[in-house]
PDB file of all heavy atoms in Angstrom:
ATOM      1  N   ALA A 477     -59.684  33.816  22.983  1.00 97.00           N
ATOM      2  CA  ALA A 477     -60.565  33.119  23.983  1.00 97.00           C
ATOM      3  C   ALA A 477     -60.286  31.602  23.941  1.00 97.00           C
ATOM      4  O   ALA A 477     -60.295  30.963  24.960  1.00 97.00           O
ATOM      5  CB  ALA A 477     -62.026  33.404  23.670  1.00 97.00           C
ATOM      6  N   TRP A 478     -60.088  31.061  22.714  1.00 98.00           N
ATOM      7  CA  TRP A 478     -59.827  29.572  22.589  1.00 98.00           C
ATOM      8  C   TRP A 478     -58.550  29.241  23.277  1.00 98.00           C
ATOM      9  O   TRP A 478     -58.484  28.212  24.044  1.00 98.00           O
ATOM     10  CB  TRP A 478     -59.692  29.268  21.107  1.00 98.00           C
ATOM     11  CG  TRP A 478     -59.842  27.781  20.733  1.00 98.00           C
ATOM     12  CD1 TRP A 478     -58.805  27.055  20.149  1.00 98.00           C
ATOM     13  CD2 TRP A 478     -60.916  26.959  20.876  1.00 98.00           C
ATOM     14  NE1 TRP A 478     -59.254  25.786  19.988  1.00 98.00           N
ATOM     15  CE2 TRP A 478     -60.590  25.695  20.387  1.00 98.00           C
ATOM     16  CE3 TRP A 478     -62.246  27.144  21.344  1.00 98.00           C
ATOM     17  CZ2 TRP A 478     -61.503  24.638  20.376  1.00 98.00           C
ATOM     18  CZ3 TRP A 478     -63.134  26.127  21.303  1.00 98.00           C
ATOM     19  CH2 TRP A 478     -62.769  24.854  20.848  1.00 98.00           C
ATOM     20  N   PHE A 479     -57.441  29.981  23.096  1.00 98.00           N
ATOM     21  CA  PHE A 479     -56.191  29.667  23.801  1.00 98.00           C
ATOM     22  C   PHE A 479     -56.266  29.891  25.292  1.00 98.00           C
ATOM     23  O   PHE A 479     -55.654  29.136  26.047  1.00 98.00           O
ATOM     24  CB  PHE A 479     -55.077  30.430  23.166  1.00 98.00           C
ATOM     25  CG  PHE A 479     -54.701  29.944  21.758  1.00 98.00           C
ATOM     26  CD1 PHE A 479     -54.197  30.899  20.825  1.00 98.00           C
ATOM     27  CD2 PHE A 479     -54.891  28.628  21.347  1.00 98.00           C
ATOM     28  CE1 PHE A 479     -53.845  30.419  19.511  1.00 98.00           C
ATOM     29  CE2 PHE A 479     -54.559  28.191  20.088  1.00 98.00           C
ATOM     30  CZ  PHE A 479     -54.069  29.103  19.150  1.00 98.00           C
ATOM     31  N   ASP A 480     -56.962  30.977  25.684  1.00 98.00           N
ATOM     32  CA  ASP A 480     -57.127  31.215  27.120  1.00 98.00           C
ATOM     33  C   ASP A 480     -57.784  30.015  27.804  1.00 98.00           C
ATOM     34  O   ASP A 480     -57.414  29.653  28.953  1.00 98.00           O
ATOM     35  CB  ASP A 480     -57.933  32.453  27.360  1.00 98.00           C
ATOM     36  CG  ASP A 480     -57.138  33.736  27.260  1.00 98.00           C
ATOM     37  OD1 ASP A 480     -55.891  33.655  27.077  1.00 98.00           O
ATOM     38  OD2 ASP A 480     -57.722  34.846  27.303  1.00 98.00           O
ATOM     39  N   LYS A 481     -58.759  29.432  27.085  1.00 97.00           N
ATOM     40  CA  LYS A 481     -59.451  28.311  27.713  1.00 97.00           C
ATOM     41  C   LYS A 481     -58.564  27.047  27.728  1.00 97.00           C
ATOM     42  O   LYS A 481     -58.429  26.392  28.763  1.00 97.00           O
ATOM     43  CB  LYS A 481     -60.756  28.021  26.855  1.00 97.00           C
ATOM     44  CG  LYS A 481     -61.431  26.688  27.167  1.00 97.00           C
ATOM     45  CD  LYS A 481     -61.969  26.626  28.619  1.00 97.00           C
ATOM     46  CE  LYS A 481     -62.710  25.313  28.868  1.00 97.00           C
ATOM     47  NZ  LYS A 481     -63.262  25.289  30.215  1.00 97.00           N
ATOM     48  N   TRP A 482     -57.959  26.695  26.580  1.00 98.00           N
ATOM     49  CA  TRP A 482     -57.297  25.381  26.492  1.00 98.00           C
ATOM     50  C   TRP A 482     -55.871  25.385  26.797  1.00 98.00           C
ATOM     51  O   TRP A 482     -55.269  24.332  27.068  1.00 98.00           O
ATOM     52  CB  TRP A 482     -57.584  24.820  25.109  1.00 98.00           C
ATOM     53  CG  TRP A 482     -59.056  24.684  24.781  1.00 98.00           C
ATOM     54  CD1 TRP A 482     -59.733  25.370  23.845  1.00 98.00           C
ATOM     55  CD2 TRP A 482     -59.994  23.822  25.448  1.00 98.00           C
ATOM     56  NE1 TRP A 482     -61.080  24.986  23.878  1.00 98.00           N
ATOM     57  CE2 TRP A 482     -61.280  24.080  24.849  1.00 98.00           C
ATOM     58  CE3 TRP A 482     -59.930  22.894  26.461  1.00 98.00           C
ATOM     59  CZ2 TRP A 482     -62.436  23.408  25.247  1.00 98.00           C
ATOM     60  CZ3 TRP A 482     -61.099  22.229  26.917  1.00 98.00           C
ATOM     61  CH2 TRP A 482     -62.321  22.528  26.267  1.00 98.00           C
ATOM     62  N   LEU A 483     -55.249  26.559  26.789  1.00 98.00           N
ATOM     63  CA  LEU A 483     -53.799  26.635  27.151  1.00 98.00           C
ATOM     64  C   LEU A 483     -53.607  27.164  28.530  1.00 98.00           C
ATOM     65  O   LEU A 483     -52.596  26.868  29.204  1.00 98.00           O
ATOM     66  CB  LEU A 483     -53.010  27.445  26.156  1.00 98.00           C
ATOM     67  CG  LEU A 483     -53.004  26.973  24.694  1.00 98.00           C
ATOM     68  CD1 LEU A 483     -52.093  27.861  23.862  1.00 98.00           C
ATOM     69  CD2 LEU A 483     -52.556  25.541  24.570  1.00 98.00           C
ATOM     70  N   LYS A 484     -54.505  28.047  29.020  1.00 98.00           N
ATOM     71  CA  LYS A 484     -54.364  28.588  30.345  1.00 98.00           C
ATOM     72  C   LYS A 484     -55.364  28.196  31.314  1.00 98.00           C
ATOM     73  O   LYS A 484     -55.327  28.481  32.523  1.00 98.00           O
ATOM     74  CB  LYS A 484     -54.402  30.147  30.266  1.00 98.00           C
ATOM     75  CG  LYS A 484     -53.152  30.777  29.641  1.00 98.00           C
ATOM     76  CD  LYS A 484     -53.187  32.273  29.775  1.00 98.00           C
ATOM     77  CE  LYS A 484     -51.956  32.928  29.233  1.00 98.00           C
ATOM     78  NZ  LYS A 484     -51.853  34.383  29.467  1.00 98.00           N
ATOM     79  N   GLY A 485     -56.414  27.472  30.850  1.00 97.00           N
ATOM     80  CA  GLY A 485     -57.439  26.944  31.751  1.00 97.00           C
ATOM     81  C   GLY A 485     -58.374  27.950  32.292  1.00 97.00           C
ATOM     82  O   GLY A 485     -59.012  27.739  33.331  1.00 97.00           O
ATOM     83  N   ILE A 486     -58.531  29.090  31.574  1.00 96.00           N
ATOM     84  CA  ILE A 486     -59.471  30.118  32.049  1.00 96.00           C
ATOM     85  C   ILE A 486     -60.922  29.743  31.616  1.00 96.00           C
ATOM     86  O   ILE A 486     -61.173  29.497  30.490  1.00 96.00           O
ATOM     87  CB  ILE A 486     -59.069  31.454  31.379  1.00 96.00           C
ATOM     88  CG1 ILE A 486     -57.635  31.859  31.854  1.00 96.00           C
ATOM     89  CG2 ILE A 486     -60.100  32.576  31.792  1.00 96.00           C
ATOM     90  CD1 ILE A 486     -57.081  33.067  31.130  1.00 96.00           C
ATOM     91  N   ASP A 487     -61.794  29.730  32.568  1.00 93.00           N
ATOM     92  CA  ASP A 487     -63.162  29.348  32.310  1.00 93.00           C
ATOM     93  C   ASP A 487     -63.951  30.559  31.771  1.00 93.00           C
ATOM     94  O   ASP A 487     -64.640  31.229  32.470  1.00 93.00           O
ATOM     95  CB  ASP A 487     -63.865  28.850  33.600  1.00 93.00           C
ATOM     96  CG  ASP A 487     -65.258  28.304  33.371  1.00 93.00           C
ATOM     97  OD1 ASP A 487     -65.543  28.088  32.212  1.00 93.00           O
ATOM     98  OD2 ASP A 487     -65.982  28.144  34.307  1.00 93.00           O
ATOM     99  N   ASN A 488     -63.798  30.826  30.412  1.00 93.00           N
ATOM    100  CA  ASN A 488     -64.373  31.996  29.854  1.00 93.00           C
ATOM    101  C   ASN A 488     -65.597  31.750  29.000  1.00 93.00           C
ATOM    102  O   ASN A 488     -66.108  32.587  28.347  1.00 93.00           O
ATOM    103  CB  ASN A 488     -63.307  32.693  28.981  1.00 93.00           C
ATOM    104  CG  ASN A 488     -62.701  31.799  27.880  1.00 93.00           C
ATOM    105  OD1 ASN A 488     -63.196  30.672  27.603  1.00 93.00           O
ATOM    106  ND2 ASN A 488     -61.588  32.199  27.270  1.00 93.00           N
ATOM    107  N   GLY A 489     -66.116  30.436  28.905  1.00 94.00           N
ATOM    108  CA  GLY A 489     -67.288  30.131  28.231  1.00 94.00           C
ATOM    109  C   GLY A 489     -67.153  29.929  26.749  1.00 94.00           C
ATOM    110  O   GLY A 489     -68.198  29.584  26.052  1.00 94.00           O
ATOM    111  N   ILE A 490     -65.931  29.902  26.170  1.00 95.00           N
ATOM    112  CA  ILE A 490     -65.782  29.692  24.711  1.00 95.00           C
ATOM    113  C   ILE A 490     -66.233  28.272  24.310  1.00 95.00           C
ATOM    114  O   ILE A 490     -66.633  28.032  23.201  1.00 95.00           O
ATOM    115  CB  ILE A 490     -64.352  29.951  24.272  1.00 95.00           C
ATOM    116  CG1 ILE A 490     -64.144  29.911  22.796  1.00 95.00           C
ATOM    117  CG2 ILE A 490     -63.394  28.917  24.971  1.00 95.00           C
ATOM    118  CD1 ILE A 490     -64.859  30.994  22.026  1.00 95.00           C
ATOM    119  N   ASP A 491     -66.126  27.338  25.259  1.00 95.00           N
ATOM    120  CA  ASP A 491     -66.585  25.969  24.948  1.00 95.00           C
ATOM    121  C   ASP A 491     -68.072  25.875  24.855  1.00 95.00           C
ATOM    122  O   ASP A 491     -68.651  24.853  24.422  1.00 95.00           O
ATOM    123  CB  ASP A 491     -66.028  24.970  26.017  1.00 95.00           C
ATOM    124  CG  ASP A 491     -66.276  25.428  27.447  1.00 95.00           C
ATOM    125  OD1 ASP A 491     -66.327  26.600  27.719  1.00 95.00           O
ATOM    126  OD2 ASP A 491     -66.535  24.562  28.300  1.00 95.00           O
ATOM    127  N   ASN A 492     -68.833  26.940  25.217  1.00 94.00           N
ATOM    128  CA  ASN A 492     -70.243  27.004  25.086  1.00 94.00           C
ATOM    129  C   ASN A 492     -70.701  27.808  23.855  1.00 94.00           C
ATOM    130  O   ASN A 492     -71.863  27.999  23.644  1.00 94.00           O
ATOM    131  CB  ASN A 492     -70.911  27.549  26.357  1.00 94.00           C
ATOM    132  CG  ASN A 492     -70.768  26.587  27.533  1.00 94.00           C
ATOM    133  OD1 ASN A 492     -71.035  25.432  27.456  1.00 94.00           O
ATOM    134  ND2 ASN A 492     -70.209  27.121  28.601  1.00 94.00           N
ATOM    135  N   TYR A 493     -69.727  28.318  23.148  1.00 95.00           N
ATOM    136  CA  TYR A 493     -70.023  29.080  21.938  1.00 95.00           C
ATOM    137  C   TYR A 493     -70.441  28.055  20.816  1.00 95.00           C
ATOM    138  O   TYR A 493     -69.943  26.913  20.826  1.00 95.00           O
ATOM    139  CB  TYR A 493     -68.803  29.836  21.468  1.00 95.00           C
ATOM    140  CG  TYR A 493     -68.977  30.785  20.330  1.00 95.00           C
ATOM    141  CD1 TYR A 493     -69.853  31.899  20.400  1.00 95.00           C
ATOM    142  CD2 TYR A 493     -68.312  30.592  19.123  1.00 95.00           C
ATOM    143  CE1 TYR A 493     -70.026  32.768  19.293  1.00 95.00           C
ATOM    144  CE2 TYR A 493     -68.472  31.390  18.031  1.00 95.00           C
ATOM    145  CZ  TYR A 493     -69.319  32.490  18.126  1.00 95.00           C
ATOM    146  OH  TYR A 493     -69.502  33.323  17.081  1.00 95.00           O
ATOM    147  N   GLY A 494     -71.260  28.486  19.898  1.00 93.00           N
ATOM    148  CA  GLY A 494     -71.610  27.602  18.772  1.00 93.00           C
ATOM    149  C   GLY A 494     -72.456  26.393  19.280  1.00 93.00           C
ATOM    150  O   GLY A 494     -73.530  26.600  19.862  1.00 93.00           O
ATOM    151  N   PRO A 495     -71.956  25.174  19.006  1.00 96.00           N
ATOM    152  CA  PRO A 495     -70.635  24.857  18.485  1.00 96.00           C
ATOM    153  C   PRO A 495     -70.508  25.019  16.978  1.00 96.00           C
ATOM    154  O   PRO A 495     -69.387  25.068  16.467  1.00 96.00           O
ATOM    155  CB  PRO A 495     -70.522  23.339  18.843  1.00 96.00           C
ATOM    156  CG  PRO A 495     -71.909  22.844  18.839  1.00 96.00           C
ATOM    157  CD  PRO A 495     -72.747  23.986  19.380  1.00 96.00           C
ATOM    158  N   VAL A 496     -71.642  25.198  16.260  1.00 96.00           N
ATOM    159  CA  VAL A 496     -71.568  25.481  14.846  1.00 96.00           C
ATOM    160  C   VAL A 496     -72.256  26.804  14.614  1.00 96.00           C
ATOM    161  O   VAL A 496     -73.390  27.018  14.881  1.00 96.00           O
ATOM    162  CB  VAL A 496     -72.319  24.375  14.043  1.00 96.00           C
ATOM    163  CG1 VAL A 496     -72.382  24.730  12.569  1.00 96.00           C
ATOM    164  CG2 VAL A 496     -71.631  23.002  14.268  1.00 96.00           C
ATOM    165  N   THR A 497     -71.445  27.738  14.074  1.00 97.00           N
ATOM    166  CA  THR A 497     -71.830  29.115  13.907  1.00 97.00           C
ATOM    167  C   THR A 497     -71.792  29.361  12.356  1.00 97.00           C
ATOM    168  O   THR A 497     -70.692  29.283  11.761  1.00 97.00           O
ATOM    169  CB  THR A 497     -70.926  30.099  14.623  1.00 97.00           C
ATOM    170  OG1 THR A 497     -70.898  29.740  16.024  1.00 97.00           O
ATOM    171  CG2 THR A 497     -71.526  31.496  14.531  1.00 97.00           C
ATOM    172  N   LEU A 498     -72.892  29.669  11.777  1.00 96.00           N
ATOM    173  CA  LEU A 498     -73.022  29.769  10.334  1.00 96.00           C
ATOM    174  C   LEU A 498     -73.603  31.004   9.844  1.00 96.00           C
ATOM    175  O   LEU A 498     -74.576  31.537  10.450  1.00 96.00           O
ATOM    176  CB  LEU A 498     -73.870  28.579   9.754  1.00 96.00           C
ATOM    177  CG  LEU A 498     -73.586  27.203  10.217  1.00 96.00           C
ATOM    178  CD1 LEU A 498     -74.616  26.205   9.747  1.00 96.00           C
ATOM    179  CD2 LEU A 498     -72.223  26.778   9.738  1.00 96.00           C
ATOM    180  N   ARG A 499     -73.085  31.482   8.753  1.00 97.00           N
ATOM    181  CA  ARG A 499     -73.769  32.644   8.051  1.00 97.00           C
ATOM    182  C   ARG A 499     -74.571  32.025   6.945  1.00 97.00           C
ATOM    183  O   ARG A 499     -74.056  31.467   5.979  1.00 97.00           O
ATOM    184  CB  ARG A 499     -72.668  33.542   7.424  1.00 97.00           C
ATOM    185  CG  ARG A 499     -73.231  34.580   6.509  1.00 97.00           C
ATOM    186  CD  ARG A 499     -74.134  35.603   7.160  1.00 97.00           C
ATOM    187  NE  ARG A 499     -74.095  36.938   6.503  1.00 97.00           N
ATOM    188  CZ  ARG A 499     -74.762  37.254   5.440  1.00 97.00           C
ATOM    189  NH1 ARG A 499     -75.528  36.365   4.833  1.00 97.00           N
ATOM    190  NH2 ARG A 499     -74.616  38.489   4.924  1.00 97.00           N
ATOM    191  N   GLU A 500     -75.865  32.092   7.024  1.00 97.00           N
ATOM    192  CA  GLU A 500     -76.728  31.559   6.051  1.00 97.00           C
ATOM    193  C   GLU A 500     -76.731  32.448   4.800  1.00 97.00           C
ATOM    194  O   GLU A 500     -76.951  33.621   4.876  1.00 97.00           O
ATOM    195  CB  GLU A 500     -78.227  31.458   6.544  1.00 97.00           C
ATOM    196  CG  GLU A 500     -78.349  30.389   7.643  1.00 97.00           C
ATOM    197  CD  GLU A 500     -79.828  30.180   8.010  1.00 97.00           C
ATOM    198  OE1 GLU A 500     -80.539  31.167   8.273  1.00 97.00           O
ATOM    199  OE2 GLU A 500     -80.223  29.069   8.002  1.00 97.00           O
ATOM    200  N   GLN A 501     -76.402  31.865   3.663  1.00 97.00           N
ATOM    201  CA  GLN A 501     -76.504  32.601   2.382  1.00 97.00           C
ATOM    202  C   GLN A 501     -77.979  33.044   2.187  1.00 97.00           C
ATOM    203  O   GLN A 501     -78.868  32.213   2.274  1.00 97.00           O
ATOM    204  CB  GLN A 501     -75.962  31.813   1.210  1.00 97.00           C
ATOM    205  CG  GLN A 501     -74.509  31.440   1.373  1.00 97.00           C
ATOM    206  CD  GLN A 501     -73.945  30.774   0.125  1.00 97.00           C
ATOM    207  OE1 GLN A 501     -73.703  31.470  -0.906  1.00 97.00           O
ATOM    208  NE2 GLN A 501     -73.745  29.503   0.148  1.00 97.00           N
ATOM    209  N   GLY A 502     -78.193  34.288   1.943  1.00 97.00           N
ATOM    210  CA  GLY A 502     -79.556  34.782   1.865  1.00 97.00           C
ATOM    211  C   GLY A 502     -80.164  35.061   3.155  1.00 97.00           C
ATOM    212  O   GLY A 502     -81.339  35.530   3.230  1.00 97.00           O
ATOM    213  N   GLY A 503     -79.466  34.929   4.310  1.00 96.00           N
ATOM    214  CA  GLY A 503     -79.993  35.187   5.590  1.00 96.00           C
ATOM    215  C   GLY A 503     -78.939  35.807   6.489  1.00 96.00           C
ATOM    216  O   GLY A 503     -78.049  36.531   6.033  1.00 96.00           O
ATOM    217  N   GLY A 504     -78.967  35.528   7.792  1.00 96.00           N
ATOM    218  CA  GLY A 504     -78.105  36.048   8.759  1.00 96.00           C
ATOM    219  C   GLY A 504     -77.279  34.967   9.434  1.00 96.00           C
ATOM    220  O   GLY A 504     -77.232  33.804   9.014  1.00 96.00           O
ATOM    221  N   TRP A 505     -76.635  35.401  10.529  1.00 97.00           N
ATOM    222  CA  TRP A 505     -75.839  34.413  11.328  1.00 97.00           C
ATOM    223  C   TRP A 505     -76.716  33.665  12.270  1.00 97.00           C
ATOM    224  O   TRP A 505     -77.623  34.189  12.914  1.00 97.00           O
ATOM    225  CB  TRP A 505     -74.726  35.184  12.127  1.00 97.00           C
ATOM    226  CG  TRP A 505     -73.605  35.611  11.327  1.00 97.00           C
ATOM    227  CD1 TRP A 505     -73.454  36.816  10.640  1.00 97.00           C
ATOM    228  CD2 TRP A 505     -72.451  34.848  11.024  1.00 97.00           C
ATOM    229  NE1 TRP A 505     -72.258  36.809  10.023  1.00 97.00           N
ATOM    230  CE2 TRP A 505     -71.607  35.671  10.202  1.00 97.00           C
ATOM    231  CE3 TRP A 505     -71.983  33.585  11.364  1.00 97.00           C
ATOM    232  CZ2 TRP A 505     -70.332  35.183   9.719  1.00 97.00           C
ATOM    233  CZ3 TRP A 505     -70.743  33.140  10.866  1.00 97.00           C
ATOM    234  CH2 TRP A 505     -69.943  33.936  10.096  1.00 97.00           C
ATOM    235  N   ILE A 506     -76.430  32.321  12.411  1.00 96.00           N
ATOM    236  CA  ILE A 506     -77.141  31.439  13.324  1.00 96.00           C
ATOM    237  C   ILE A 506     -76.134  30.556  14.064  1.00 96.00           C
ATOM    238  O   ILE A 506     -75.026  30.369  13.629  1.00 96.00           O
ATOM    239  CB  ILE A 506     -78.196  30.611  12.620  1.00 96.00           C
ATOM    240  CG1 ILE A 506     -77.547  29.679  11.590  1.00 96.00           C
ATOM    241  CG2 ILE A 506     -79.198  31.473  11.926  1.00 96.00           C
ATOM    242  CD1 ILE A 506     -78.457  28.591  11.071  1.00 96.00           C
ATOM    243  N   THR A 507     -76.583  29.943  15.126  1.00 95.00           N
ATOM    244  CA  THR A 507     -75.830  28.880  15.751  1.00 95.00           C
ATOM    245  C   THR A 507     -76.640  27.587  15.699  1.00 95.00           C
ATOM    246  O   THR A 507     -77.889  27.653  15.809  1.00 95.00           O
ATOM    247  CB  THR A 507     -75.441  29.196  17.257  1.00 95.00           C
ATOM    248  OG1 THR A 507     -76.686  29.429  17.943  1.00 95.00           O
ATOM    249  CG2 THR A 507     -74.482  30.377  17.260  1.00 95.00           C
ATOM    250  N   GLN A 508     -75.952  26.499  15.527  1.00 93.00           N
ATOM    251  CA  GLN A 508     -76.600  25.177  15.522  1.00 93.00           C
ATOM    252  C   GLN A 508     -75.774  24.152  16.337  1.00 93.00           C
ATOM    253  O   GLN A 508     -74.649  24.442  16.676  1.00 93.00           O
ATOM    254  CB  GLN A 508     -76.721  24.697  14.032  1.00 93.00           C
ATOM    255  CG  GLN A 508     -77.517  25.476  13.122  1.00 93.00           C
ATOM    256  CD  GLN A 508     -77.711  24.847  11.713  1.00 93.00           C
ATOM    257  OE1 GLN A 508     -78.529  25.266  10.922  1.00 93.00           O
ATOM    258  NE2 GLN A 508     -76.836  23.827  11.464  1.00 93.00           N
ATOM    259  N   ASP A 509     -76.395  22.986  16.536  1.00 93.00           N
ATOM    260  CA  ASP A 509     -75.687  21.941  17.317  1.00 93.00           C
ATOM    261  C   ASP A 509     -74.826  21.060  16.370  1.00 93.00           C
ATOM    262  O   ASP A 509     -74.137  20.229  16.831  1.00 93.00           O
ATOM    263  CB  ASP A 509     -76.682  21.131  18.115  1.00 93.00           C
ATOM    264  CG  ASP A 509     -77.240  21.962  19.299  1.00 93.00           C
ATOM    265  OD1 ASP A 509     -76.530  22.811  19.770  1.00 93.00           O
ATOM    266  OD2 ASP A 509     -78.386  21.705  19.720  1.00 93.00           O
ATOM    267  N   GLY A 510     -75.023  21.258  15.045  1.00 93.00           N
ATOM    268  CA  GLY A 510     -74.303  20.400  14.138  1.00 93.00           C
ATOM    269  C   GLY A 510     -74.517  20.924  12.678  1.00 93.00           C
ATOM    270  O   GLY A 510     -75.253  21.891  12.532  1.00 93.00           O
ATOM    271  N   PHE A 511     -73.892  20.293  11.726  1.00 93.00           N
ATOM    272  CA  PHE A 511     -74.058  20.653  10.313  1.00 93.00           C
ATOM    273  C   PHE A 511     -73.923  19.354   9.467  1.00 93.00           C
ATOM    274  O   PHE A 511     -73.069  18.544   9.678  1.00 93.00           O
ATOM    275  CB  PHE A 511     -73.050  21.669   9.860  1.00 93.00           C
ATOM    276  CG  PHE A 511     -73.096  21.982   8.408  1.00 93.00           C
ATOM    277  CD1 PHE A 511     -74.161  22.715   7.910  1.00 93.00           C
ATOM    278  CD2 PHE A 511     -72.186  21.424   7.496  1.00 93.00           C
ATOM    279  CE1 PHE A 511     -74.251  22.996   6.546  1.00 93.00           C
ATOM    280  CE2 PHE A 511     -72.278  21.689   6.163  1.00 93.00           C
ATOM    281  CZ  PHE A 511     -73.310  22.458   5.647  1.00 93.00           C
ATOM    282  N   GLY A 512     -74.887  19.208   8.520  1.00 88.00           N
ATOM    283  CA  GLY A 512     -74.809  18.050   7.648  1.00 88.00           C
ATOM    284  C   GLY A 512     -74.953  16.791   8.370  1.00 88.00           C
ATOM    285  O   GLY A 512     -75.979  16.512   9.115  1.00 88.00           O
ATOM    286  N   ALA A 513     -73.914  15.974   8.398  1.00 83.00           N
ATOM    287  CA  ALA A 513     -73.989  14.601   8.987  1.00 83.00           C
ATOM    288  C   ALA A 513     -74.105  14.675  10.529  1.00 83.00           C
ATOM    289  O   ALA A 513     -74.611  13.710  11.156  1.00 83.00           O
ATOM    290  CB  ALA A 513     -72.718  13.808   8.650  1.00 83.00           C
ATOM    291  N   THR A 514     -73.725  15.753  11.136  1.00 85.00           N
ATOM    292  CA  THR A 514     -73.743  15.841  12.591  1.00 85.00           C
ATOM    293  C   THR A 514     -74.960  16.643  13.089  1.00 85.00           C
ATOM    294  O   THR A 514     -75.127  16.869  14.312  1.00 85.00           O
ATOM    295  CB  THR A 514     -72.492  16.518  13.174  1.00 85.00           C
ATOM    296  OG1 THR A 514     -72.463  17.818  12.612  1.00 85.00           O
ATOM    297  CG2 THR A 514     -71.252  15.730  12.755  1.00 85.00           C
ATOM    298  N   ALA A 515     -75.857  17.109  12.174  1.00 86.00           N
ATOM    299  CA  ALA A 515     -77.017  17.921  12.604  1.00 86.00           C
ATOM    300  C   ALA A 515     -77.990  17.033  13.341  1.00 86.00           C
ATOM    301  O   ALA A 515     -78.327  15.946  12.832  1.00 86.00           O
ATOM    302  CB  ALA A 515     -77.656  18.555  11.357  1.00 86.00           C
ATOM    303  N   PRO A 516     -78.507  17.466  14.478  1.00 86.00           N
ATOM    304  CA  PRO A 516     -79.541  16.743  15.161  1.00 86.00           C
ATOM    305  C   PRO A 516     -80.847  16.752  14.340  1.00 86.00           C
ATOM    306  O   PRO A 516     -81.009  17.505  13.466  1.00 86.00           O
ATOM    307  CB  PRO A 516     -79.686  17.451  16.497  1.00 86.00           C
ATOM    308  CG  PRO A 516     -79.150  18.829  16.263  1.00 86.00           C
ATOM    309  CD  PRO A 516     -78.118  18.712  15.205  1.00 86.00           C
ATOM    310  N   ALA A 517     -81.773  15.876  14.727  1.00 81.00           N
ATOM    311  CA  ALA A 517     -82.972  15.729  14.032  1.00 81.00           C
ATOM    312  C   ALA A 517     -83.761  17.058  13.771  1.00 81.00           C
ATOM    313  O   ALA A 517     -84.308  17.331  12.719  1.00 81.00           O
ATOM    314  CB  ALA A 517     -83.914  14.763  14.666  1.00 81.00           C
TER     315      ALA A 517
END
């Protein structure tokens, strides 16, 4: 999906994935807008 988007120009929505996708230890998978220094308030 990444290469289809950026090498072929296919609008497949991969740029709207995440952008930060994390497996929380002791929990499940989540998405966030950042991590650590880039995490929003």
Side-chain angles (χ1 to χ4, degrees):
W478 195 247
F479 289 151
D480 279 353
K481 169 66 180 179
W482 302 113
L483 299 184
K484 289 189 174 182
I486 299 171
D487 186 14
N488 58 12
I490 188 66
D491 49 329
N492 293 309
Y493 186 66
V496 175
T497 307
L498 308 174
R499 170 63 150 83
E500 293 188 309
Q501 297 189 74
W505 283 93
I506 63 168
T507 57
Q508 295 184 167
D509 291 330
F511 175 73
T514 62

